Amino acid sequence: MPLFNIPELRSALRPGQRLMGIDPGQKTIGIALSDVSLMLASPCTTVRRRKLSLVAAEIGELARRHDVGGLVGGLPLSLDGSFGPAAQAARDWLMNLSHQLGLPAALWDERLSSSAVNRILIQDVDMTRRRREQVVDKMAAAYILQAALDASA
């Protein structure tokens, strides 16, 4: 499936469908879900990174259970905004996932999302390192999805 921009992706949804935010980390993939009004993103879960077909089956089950109509994946642009190897790998991975699930997808700039989430978890929540490792990816997915929802409202 081709990649959409966020407003096109929103307009392709049926009423009541949600968007799924995806932060593809190196070890785990953070998953977040929007509410049905497409106003609020919430952390959902993490999926262990492994062969794409296994990951797609797990994410596909979540998508069916929550009536997800589209994916918003994090795009790790370089700090100067350039499209480097990490961004290319994330784009290719999301396109393959989108194709396997039969869901449209869009990419959203995720620069420093994990850093911002870690800062919040340390300063505001005073969370231990071990606990942060358990939640940072799904929180980053929610951070990315919320930014995309806000920009396209």
Side-chain angles (χ1 to χ4, degrees), residues 6 8 22 28 36 38 46 64 69 74 76 93-94 100 104-105 108 116 121 131 133:
I6 299 293
E8 288 173 340
I22 299 178
T28 58
V36 295
L38 302 176
T46 56
R64 283 184 290 284
W93 184 86
L94 186 66
Q100 286 196 23
W108 192 259
L121 294 176
R131 181 70 179 128
E133 288 174 359

mmCIF file of all heavy atoms in Angstrom, residues 6 8 22 28 36 38 46 64 69 74 76 93-94 100 104-105 108 116 121 131 133:
data_model
loop_
_atom_site.group_PDB
_atom_site.id
_atom_site.type_symbol
_atom_site.label_atom_id
_atom_site.label_comp_id
_atom_site.label_asym_id
_atom_site.label_seq_id
_atom_site.Cartn_x
_atom_site.Cartn_y
_atom_site.Cartn_z
ATOM 1 N N ILE A 6 -1.021 12.481 6.724
ATOM 2 C CA ILE A 6 -1.938 12.282 7.849
ATOM 3 C C ILE A 6 -3.372 12.725 7.524
ATOM 4 O O ILE A 6 -4.316 11.978 7.800
ATOM 5 C CB ILE A 6 -1.416 12.984 9.122
ATOM 6 C CG1 ILE A 6 -0.061 12.407 9.539
ATOM 7 C CG2 ILE A 6 -2.409 12.881 10.267
ATOM 8 C CD1 ILE A 6 -0.074 10.979 10.005
ATOM 9 N N GLU A 8 -4.945 12.746 4.661
ATOM 10 C CA GLU A 8 -5.526 11.736 3.762
ATOM 11 C C GLU A 8 -5.846 10.455 4.517
ATOM 12 O O GLU A 8 -6.884 9.836 4.284
ATOM 13 C CB GLU A 8 -4.546 11.397 2.633
ATOM 14 C CG GLU A 8 -4.371 12.473 1.597
ATOM 15 C CD GLU A 8 -3.266 12.118 0.606
ATOM 16 O OE1 GLU A 8 -2.403 11.263 0.915
ATOM 17 O OE2 GLU A 8 -3.260 12.705 -0.481
ATOM 18 N N ILE A 22 2.880 3.647 15.861
ATOM 19 C CA ILE A 22 3.914 2.620 15.944
ATOM 20 C C ILE A 22 5.280 3.287 16.047
ATOM 21 O O ILE A 22 5.638 4.114 15.213
ATOM 22 C CB ILE A 22 3.872 1.692 14.713
ATOM 23 C CG1 ILE A 22 2.513 1.001 14.647
ATOM 24 C CG2 ILE A 22 5.009 0.679 14.757
ATOM 25 C CD1 ILE A 22 2.337 0.105 13.453
ATOM 26 N N THR A 28 12.104 -3.507 20.849
ATOM 27 C CA THR A 28 10.653 -3.592 20.985
ATOM 28 C C THR A 28 9.990 -2.534 20.125
ATOM 29 O O THR A 28 10.579 -1.504 19.812
ATOM 30 C CB THR A 28 10.190 -3.413 22.452
ATOM 31 O OG1 THR A 28 10.656 -2.145 22.923
ATOM 32 C CG2 THR A 28 10.710 -4.517 23.342
ATOM 33 N N VAL A 36 -11.713 6.971 19.271
ATOM 34 C CA VAL A 36 -12.495 6.943 18.032
ATOM 35 C C VAL A 36 -12.767 8.340 17.480
ATOM 36 O O VAL A 36 -13.067 8.475 16.294
ATOM 37 C CB VAL A 36 -13.815 6.156 18.190
ATOM 38 C CG1 VAL A 36 -13.515 4.683 18.462
ATOM 39 C CG2 VAL A 36 -14.686 6.734 19.280
ATOM 40 N N LEU A 38 -10.447 10.526 17.263
ATOM 41 C CA LEU A 38 -9.137 10.913 16.715
ATOM 42 C C LEU A 38 -8.595 12.185 17.368
ATOM 43 O O LEU A 38 -7.975 13.019 16.720
ATOM 44 C CB LEU A 38 -9.208 11.074 15.198
ATOM 45 C CG LEU A 38 -9.676 9.849 14.428
ATOM 46 C CD1 LEU A 38 -9.787 10.163 12.948
ATOM 47 C CD2 LEU A 38 -8.748 8.671 14.662
ATOM 48 N N THR A 46 3.631 -3.110 23.949
ATOM 49 C CA THR A 46 4.849 -3.258 23.152
ATOM 50 C C THR A 46 4.852 -4.659 22.548
ATOM 51 O O THR A 46 4.255 -5.585 23.091
ATOM 52 C CB THR A 46 6.136 -3.062 23.983
ATOM 53 O OG1 THR A 46 6.129 -3.971 25.078
ATOM 54 C CG2 THR A 46 6.264 -1.642 24.482
ATOM 55 N N ARG A 64 -7.357 -5.565 14.557
ATOM 56 C CA ARG A 64 -8.723 -6.084 14.406
ATOM 57 C C ARG A 64 -9.537 -5.896 15.690
ATOM 58 O O ARG A 64 -10.696 -5.490 15.642
ATOM 59 C CB ARG A 64 -8.685 -7.565 14.013
ATOM 60 C CG ARG A 64 -8.353 -7.789 12.550
ATOM 61 C CD ARG A 64 -8.404 -9.253 12.159
ATOM 62 N NE ARG A 64 -7.315 -10.034 12.734
ATOM 63 C CZ ARG A 64 -6.044 -10.013 12.287
ATOM 64 N NH1 ARG A 64 -5.736 -9.257 11.255
ATOM 65 N NH2 ARG A 64 -5.122 -10.747 12.852
ATOM 66 N N GLY A 69 -8.062 1.549 11.551
ATOM 67 C CA GLY A 69 -8.203 1.768 10.114
ATOM 68 C C GLY A 69 -6.954 2.280 9.436
ATOM 69 O O GLY A 69 -6.925 2.423 8.216
ATOM 70 N N GLY A 74 6.566 6.088 13.252
ATOM 71 C CA GLY A 74 7.590 7.088 13.519
ATOM 72 C C GLY A 74 8.652 7.087 12.431
ATOM 73 O O GLY A 74 9.097 6.033 11.977
ATOM 74 N N PRO A 76 12.362 8.351 11.830
ATOM 75 C CA PRO A 76 13.540 8.897 12.517
ATOM 76 C C PRO A 76 14.438 9.716 11.590
ATOM 77 O O PRO A 76 15.512 9.275 11.168
ATOM 78 C CB PRO A 76 14.255 7.653 13.034
ATOM 79 C CG PRO A 76 13.916 6.595 12.027
ATOM 80 C CD PRO A 76 12.512 6.920 11.562
ATOM 81 N N TRP A 93 10.146 -0.642 6.445
ATOM 82 C CA TRP A 93 9.523 -1.554 7.401
ATOM 83 C C TRP A 93 8.021 -1.259 7.519
ATOM 84 O O TRP A 93 7.201 -2.171 7.486
ATOM 85 C CB TRP A 93 10.213 -1.423 8.761
ATOM 86 C CG TRP A 93 9.709 -2.384 9.779
ATOM 87 C CD1 TRP A 93 10.141 -3.672 9.970
ATOM 88 C CD2 TRP A 93 8.681 -2.148 10.740
ATOM 89 N NE1 TRP A 93 9.423 -4.240 11.001
ATOM 90 C CE2 TRP A 93 8.531 -3.333 11.485
ATOM 91 C CE3 TRP A 93 7.877 -1.058 11.044
ATOM 92 C CZ2 TRP A 93 7.608 -3.456 12.512
ATOM 93 C CZ3 TRP A 93 6.955 -1.173 12.071
ATOM 94 C CH2 TRP A 93 6.828 -2.370 12.790
ATOM 95 N N LEU A 94 7.662 0.027 7.629
ATOM 96 C CA LEU A 94 6.247 0.384 7.756
ATOM 97 C C LEU A 94 5.479 0.047 6.481
ATOM 98 O O LEU A 94 4.342 -0.428 6.550
ATOM 99 C CB LEU A 94 6.075 1.864 8.107
ATOM 100 C CG LEU A 94 4.637 2.273 8.384
ATOM 101 C CD1 LEU A 94 4.105 1.596 9.647
ATOM 102 C CD2 LEU A 94 4.502 3.776 8.503
ATOM 103 N N GLN A 100 1.303 -6.111 4.540
ATOM 104 C CA GLN A 100 0.912 -7.384 5.146
ATOM 105 C C GLN A 100 -0.424 -7.281 5.872
ATOM 106 O O GLN A 100 -1.202 -8.227 5.887
ATOM 107 C CB GLN A 100 1.990 -7.887 6.102
ATOM 108 C CG GLN A 100 3.193 -8.429 5.368
ATOM 109 C CD GLN A 100 4.097 -9.268 6.255
ATOM 110 O OE1 GLN A 100 3.675 -9.800 7.263
ATOM 111 N NE2 GLN A 100 5.348 -9.377 5.853
ATOM 112 N N PRO A 104 -3.775 1.222 5.402
ATOM 113 C CA PRO A 104 -3.002 2.366 4.936
ATOM 114 C C PRO A 104 -2.111 2.883 6.057
ATOM 115 O O PRO A 104 -2.398 2.682 7.245
ATOM 116 C CB PRO A 104 -4.069 3.394 4.552
ATOM 117 C CG PRO A 104 -5.260 3.009 5.350
ATOM 118 C CD PRO A 104 -5.200 1.521 5.537
ATOM 119 N N ALA A 105 -1.039 3.562 5.683
ATOM 120 C CA ALA A 105 -0.083 4.046 6.673
ATOM 121 C C ALA A 105 0.421 5.433 6.308
ATOM 122 O O ALA A 105 0.379 5.842 5.147
ATOM 123 C CB ALA A 105 1.091 3.078 6.779
ATOM 124 N N TRP A 108 5.361 9.890 10.474
ATOM 125 C CA TRP A 108 5.400 11.147 11.214
ATOM 126 C C TRP A 108 6.773 11.300 11.839
ATOM 127 O O TRP A 108 7.318 10.354 12.403
ATOM 128 C CB TRP A 108 4.311 11.184 12.292
ATOM 129 C CG TRP A 108 4.163 12.545 12.854
ATOM 130 C CD1 TRP A 108 4.665 13.000 14.042
ATOM 131 C CD2 TRP A 108 3.519 13.658 12.248
ATOM 132 N NE1 TRP A 108 4.370 14.324 14.200
ATOM 133 C CE2 TRP A 108 3.664 14.750 13.114
ATOM 134 C CE3 TRP A 108 2.840 13.833 11.048
ATOM 135 C CZ2 TRP A 108 3.141 16.009 12.821
ATOM 136 C CZ3 TRP A 108 2.321 15.078 10.758
ATOM 137 C CH2 TRP A 108 2.461 16.151 11.636
ATOM 138 N N ALA A 116 12.288 12.784 24.680
ATOM 139 C CA ALA A 116 11.275 13.602 25.356
ATOM 140 C C ALA A 116 10.494 12.767 26.362
ATOM 141 O O ALA A 116 10.236 13.201 27.496
ATOM 142 C CB ALA A 116 10.322 14.221 24.334
ATOM 143 N N LEU A 121 9.450 10.970 32.025
ATOM 144 C CA LEU A 121 9.394 9.863 32.977
ATOM 145 C C LEU A 121 10.393 10.041 34.119
ATOM 146 O O LEU A 121 10.147 9.603 35.237
ATOM 147 C CB LEU A 121 9.625 8.531 32.272
ATOM 148 C CG LEU A 121 8.543 8.108 31.281
ATOM 149 C CD1 LEU A 121 8.939 6.825 30.572
ATOM 150 C CD2 LEU A 121 7.193 7.973 31.953
ATOM 151 N N ARG A 131 11.818 0.410 35.035
ATOM 152 C CA ARG A 131 10.410 0.648 34.677
ATOM 153 C C ARG A 131 10.319 1.476 33.389
ATOM 154 O O ARG A 131 9.452 1.230 32.551
ATOM 155 C CB ARG A 131 9.693 1.344 35.831
ATOM 156 C CG ARG A 131 8.237 1.616 35.564
ATOM 157 C CD ARG A 131 7.417 0.329 35.541
ATOM 158 N NE ARG A 131 6.022 0.683 35.299
ATOM 159 C CZ ARG A 131 5.283 0.147 34.345
ATOM 160 N NH1 ARG A 131 5.746 -0.811 33.598
ATOM 161 N NH2 ARG A 131 4.047 0.533 34.184
ATOM 162 N N GLU A 133 12.364 1.416 30.881
ATOM 163 C CA GLU A 133 12.637 0.516 29.762
ATOM 164 C C GLU A 133 11.392 -0.259 29.354
ATOM 165 O O GLU A 133 11.227 -0.598 28.192
ATOM 166 C CB GLU A 133 13.753 -0.467 30.139
ATOM 167 C CG GLU A 133 15.117 0.172 30.202
ATOM 168 C CD GLU A 133 16.195 -0.775 30.720
ATOM 169 O OE1 GLU A 133 15.880 -1.936 31.061
ATOM 170 O OE2 GLU A 133 17.346 -0.335 30.781
#
